[in-house]
Amino acid sequence: EIVMTQSPATLSVSPGERATLSCRASQSIYDNLAWYQQKPGQAPRLLIYGASTRATGIPARFSGSGSGTEFTLTISSLQSEDFAVYYCQQYSTWYTFGQGTKLEIK
Amino acid sequence: QVQLQESGPGLVKPSETLSLTCSVSGGSISTYYWSWIRQPPGKELEWIGYIYYIGSTNYNPSLRSRVTISVDTSKNQFSLKLRSVTAADTAVYYCTRGSLRNNYGPYFDYWGQGTLVTVSS
């Protein structure tokens, strides 16, 4: 099983600043990575697939990068609605999720 | 806009079978991969399995012996059965639509709101 490890577990950032979230795969997954945003009591929402392609309707302030085993989700200028939990998911071999990064207001 | 809605009992007794149905609206269930994903309270997401609209399935190896996913294209629905449940199966269960990219996937582009299923006597 491919293990996805996200860091940090919690990230405190002020509105308007940049947030950088990391995700590491235990073996190469090429660019077969997706990012999701989950708010309390809601289902996850797809943000990014193919490591860097924004899903339909996702604002340009969200960007993804990386390939192989190291990936990054960047939110360029945090809005109030962006504070949530973010998960990465690999779909290269089976389907596994990271444990999540909680993005909280500083 | 594609919408998914889970339905089924919120409480299941230990050793019994958990049964959920997902109704798809705003689009056809034909094409795409239809998955079930669960999230125990306060924990991460776990993929359970998927069905392709023609009926082929793929299950998480850790759950394969207990899971069956089926599809009813005439009703635009797909279903989950998880047998011999224990307290460890207590979770929010999501149904999702999955898409491929470059023949890899699926990744999950539409999600139902989720339904909490508690296993308890």
Side-chain angles (χ1 to χ4, degrees), chain A residues 1 30-32 34 36 38 41-46 49-51 53 87 89 91-92 94-100, chain B residues 37 39 43-47 50 58-61 64 94 99 101-102 104-114:
Chain A
E1 176 181 303
Y30 309 100
D31 62 352
N32 298 311
Y36 301 87
Q38 186 177 34
Q42 296 185 18
R45 176 175 70 145
L46 176 68
Y49 63 94
T53 302
Y87 294 96
Q89 176 236 334
Y91 51 90
S92 183
W94 299 104
Y95 315 95
T96 50
F97 293 83
Q99 82 280 16
Chain B
I37 293 169
Q39 186 173 35
K43 295 188 177 180
E44 63 202 63
L45 298 152
E46 179 182 36
W47 172 75
Y50 70 64
N58 197 6
Y59 300 133
N60 188 322
R64 180 177 292 143
Y94 296 100
S99 296
R101 177 180 175 273
N102 297 337
Y104 279 92
Y107 57 90
F108 309 108
D109 52 6
Y110 287 94
W111 296 62
Q113 65 184 27

Side-chain angles (χ1 to χ4, degrees), chain B residues 52-89:
Chain B
Y52 192 43
Y53 75 103
I54 57 174
S56 55
T57 55
N58 197 6
Y59 300 133
N60 188 322
S62 68
L63 298 170
R64 180 177 292 143
S65 64
R66 299 194 291 131
V67 173
T68 301
I69 297 175
S70 58
V71 65
D72 187 336
T73 54
S74 67
K75 295 182 178 180
N76 241 30
Q77 293 178 337
F78 63 106
S79 298
L80 168 70
K81 291 189 184 298
L82 180 64
R83 296 175 290 278
S84 304
V85 297
T86 69
D89 295 309

Side-chain angles (χ1 to χ4, degrees), chain A residues 7 9 17 23 26 28-30 32 34 37 40 49 52 61 65 71 75 82 85-86 94 99:
Chain A
S7 61
E17 294 189 341
C23 176
S26 60
S28 177
I29 58 170
Y30 309 100
N32 298 311
Q37 176 193 68
Y49 63 94
S52 61
R61 65 180 182 272
S65 63
F71 300 88
I75 311 171
D82 299 336
V85 178
Y86 292 82
W94 299 104
Q99 82 280 16

